[in-house]
């Protein structure tokens, strides 16, 4: 079949057959995607067994709750960032901390505090470096944004995230910090280790077919929001990690690379109330003012909440 015949067939089956109210948007998307799929079957001579393997794959990936991970790994989520950047540019919006992917491991409902939070439960304190993250939330002119909501989440020393890893305590390494009167937030936590896809999982299965690894560099995720500003979804990725620029999820971006500085000065250690050297990262955040002409940065997706 040629494309015209395909489009006619798809329309006959899924448009002309409507006998009840139609969601026009869904219809448009379904018709387009089916046409593109049928065209790919033509072009690549995709065999029936291959079509069924594909559908079985989605069944398995869905049952394993790995479709979010797959979207990250295949670059769909990063593509959406690039597409949003382009839409912003077209709308004349620029500046602020760059966006990058949310990933599949956010959990709503983390404990909230003002200015400071300790994020770890202490269970790994003796096997991993302490990390202090601090920064200021400002607008693009440098004015501080008191009360900005800084949601932070990251992995433990094994690259695992609480909630998804049931061996961790509730909300371990997940906090919501409201910027103080100077716009500052400080997080006392442990150094994250980069995530790796479950080796026997459905995402790694496809990555193996593509000859790809499923590793991320060490990183820390953020949602930052404040009334009158565009919600920011971002992360910093930590300098020195072998996967910094070889991230299977393509989240590392210029402006989002953080350097963890070793601090061993006794006075500084004591001043922080700590008892051993620590690592320090500064990550300042600039939010962009909201405007009616600005594309929304709120993404509606299913998220865990505890
Ligand atoms: C992660 O920690 C992550 O950030 C992404 C994007 C995918 C898998 C695990
Ligand atoms: Fe992550």
């Amino acid at each position: 079949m040629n494309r015209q015949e395909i489009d006619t067939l798809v329309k006959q089956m899924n448009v002309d057959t409507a006998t009840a109210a139609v969601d026009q948007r869904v219809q448009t998307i379904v018709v387009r995607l089916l046409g593109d799929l049928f065209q790919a079957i033509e072009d690549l001579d995709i065999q029936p067994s291959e079509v069924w393997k594909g559908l079985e794959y989605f069944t398995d990936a869905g049952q394993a709750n790995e479709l979010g991970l797959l979207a990250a790994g295949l670059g769909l989520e990063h593509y959406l960032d690039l597409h949003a950047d382009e839409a912003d540019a077209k709308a004349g919006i620029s500046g602020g901390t760059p966006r990058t992917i949310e990933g599949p491991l956010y959990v709503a409902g983390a404990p909230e505090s003002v200015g400071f939070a300790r994020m770890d439960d202490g269970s790994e304190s003796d096997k991993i470096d302490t990390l202090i993250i601090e920064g200021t939330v400002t607008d693009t002119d440098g004015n501080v944004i008191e009360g900005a909501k800084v949601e932070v989440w990251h992995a433990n020393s094994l690259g695992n995230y609480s909630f998804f890893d049931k061996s961790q305590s509730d909300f371990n390494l997940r906090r919501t910090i409201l910027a103080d009167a100077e716009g500052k937030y400080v997080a006392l936590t442990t150094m994250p280790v980069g995530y790796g896809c479950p080796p026997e999982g459905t995402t790694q299965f496809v990555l193996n077919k593509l000859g790809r690894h499923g590793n991320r560099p060490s990183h820390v995720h953020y949602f930052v929001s404040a009334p009158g500003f565009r919600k920011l979804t971002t992360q910093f990725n930590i300098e020195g990690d072998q996967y910094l620029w070889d991230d299977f999820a393509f989240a590392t971006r210029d402006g989002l690379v953080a350097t963890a500085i070793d601090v061993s000065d006794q006075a500084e250690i004591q001043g922080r109330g700590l008892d051993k050297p620590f690592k320090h990262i500064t990550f300042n955040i600039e939010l962009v003012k909201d405007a009616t002409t600005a594309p929304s940065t709120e993404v509606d997706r299913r998220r865990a909440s505890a």
Side-chain angles (χ1 to χ4, degrees), residues 69 72 77 101-105 161 195 216 219 221 235 248-249 251:
L69 187 59
E77 202 176 359
I101 64 168
E102 170 181 336
L105 303 176
Y161 286 76
Y195 172 94
R216 297 216 54 214
H219 63 278
H221 295 267
Q235 0 173 332
F248 97 103

Side-chain angles (χ1 to χ4, degrees), residues 105 123-124 127-128 153-169 171-174 190-199 216-219 221:
L105 303 176
S123 62
E124 296 187 302
K127 60 176 167 188
I128 190 144
W153 70 102
H154 68 81
N156 70 1
S157 71
L158 300 171
N160 295 327
Y161 286 76
S162 65
F163 183 86
F164 302 96
D165 169 13
K166 297 300 182 189
S167 78
Q168 293 183 49
S169 62
F171 291 112
N172 190 36
L173 311 178
R174 300 177 183 277
T190 51
M191 271 298 279
V193 167
Y195 172 94
C197 288
R216 297 216 54 214
S218 175
H219 63 278
H221 295 267

Side-chain angles (χ1 to χ4, degrees), residues 14-16 18 22-32:
N14 290 293
V15 176
D16 300 345
V22 171
D23 183 323
Q24 295 295 337
R25 179 68 178 160
V26 169
Q27 183 190 70
T28 301
I29 294 170
V30 167
V31 163
R32 173 58 185 269

Side-chain angles (χ1 to χ4, degrees), residues 90-101:
K90 278 186 196 144
I93 295 158
S94 63
T97 301
R99 62 165 55 86
T100 198
I101 64 168

Side-chain angles (χ1 to χ4, degrees), residues 229-245:
F229 292 89
R230 305 177 88 208
K231 178 179 174 177
L232 173 69
T233 300
T234 197
Q235 0 173 332
F236 62 73
N237 290 266
I238 302 174
E239 182 87 67
D241 192 295
Q242 70 171 123
Y243 295 110
L244 181 65
W245 293 106

